[in-house]
Amino acid sequence: MKNMVLYAGIAGIAALLVNFLITLVYYEPRPFATYHTSILIPHAADDSFPSDHATGTFAMAFALWVRNRKLGSAMILCAVLTGISRVWVGHHYPGDIAASIIVALFTVWAIQKIKGLFDPAFSMLIGWYHDICAKFTKKGYK
C-alpha cells in the first residue's frame, strides 16, 4: 500500500513537470480571459493548457489503477469529476482536460517502464518510515 502511494505521488509530480514544459512552448488563455465571462471561483488569468488540477488527479488515479483496480477506478471517477468541475467553473476548456488525461496516461506509462529505478529508493523510504514509527510507538510497525 505504501508503495502505491509513493508511485501515485511520483506520477503526480512528474505529470505536473510535463505540464510545466508544455506551458513553456504553448500558451492558451483561460476561457474567462478570452471571452470575458463571469466565473464561479476567482482565478489568475494565466495559462489554461493543460489543466494542472486534472493532470495531477488523473496521473495519481491512473498510477493507483495500475496497482489496485478497485481503488484506482474510484479515483479515476474523482479525477473525472475534477475535470468536469474545472470546465464548469470556467477555468478550462474541455480540450485542456483531454490534454491533461493524455499527459497523465503518458506519464504513468513512462513511470511503469522505469519503475525498477524507483523500487530500491521506495523500499529504503518505507524502511525509514517503519524505523521512525517503531521509535515513537516503542514497538515494531508493519
Side-chain angles (χ1 to χ4, degrees):
M1 183 64 127
K2 293 173 188 78
N3 240 1
M4 251 188 342
V5 172
L6 290 171
Y7 273 107
I10 289 294
I13 291 168
L16 291 173
L17 178 62
V18 172
N19 270 13
F20 174 74
L21 295 174
I22 290 170
T23 62
L24 293 177
V25 296
Y26 181 76
Y27 176 80
E28 179 178 37
R30 293 190 180 270
F32 65 84
T34 303
Y35 297 107
H36 304 292
T37 60
S38 59
I39 57 174
L40 294 175
I41 300 169
H43 196 284
D46 56 358
D47 196 18
S48 173
F49 182 86
S51 166
D52 287 339
H53 286 88
T55 300
T57 55
F58 274 106
M60 290 185 287
F62 292 150
L64 290 172
W65 185 83
V66 167
R67 287 160 183 79
N68 183 321
R69 301 281 196 243
K70 193 174 194 179
L71 176 61
S73 296
M75 296 308 294
I76 289 172
L77 176 61
C78 291
V80 167
L81 293 174
T82 299
I84 291 169
S85 74
R86 300 302 290 169
V87 174
W88 182 267
V89 299
H91 293 184
H92 291 285
Y93 298 101
D96 300 340
I97 307 305
S100 296
I101 294 169
I102 293 167
V103 168
L105 282 170
F106 169 76
T107 304
V108 171
W109 172 81
I111 288 172
Q112 277 299 108
K113 291 293 182 191
I114 61 169
K115 73 177 189 163
L117 297 174
F118 295 106
D119 287 337
F122 286 177
S123 294
M124 186 175 64
L125 284 171
I126 292 168
W128 288 347
Y129 171 77
H130 288 170
D131 292 344
I132 291 168
C133 288
K135 287 178 184 176
F136 285 108
T137 61
K138 305 289 187 214
K139 59 183 176 183
Y141 188 82
K142 294 182 183 180

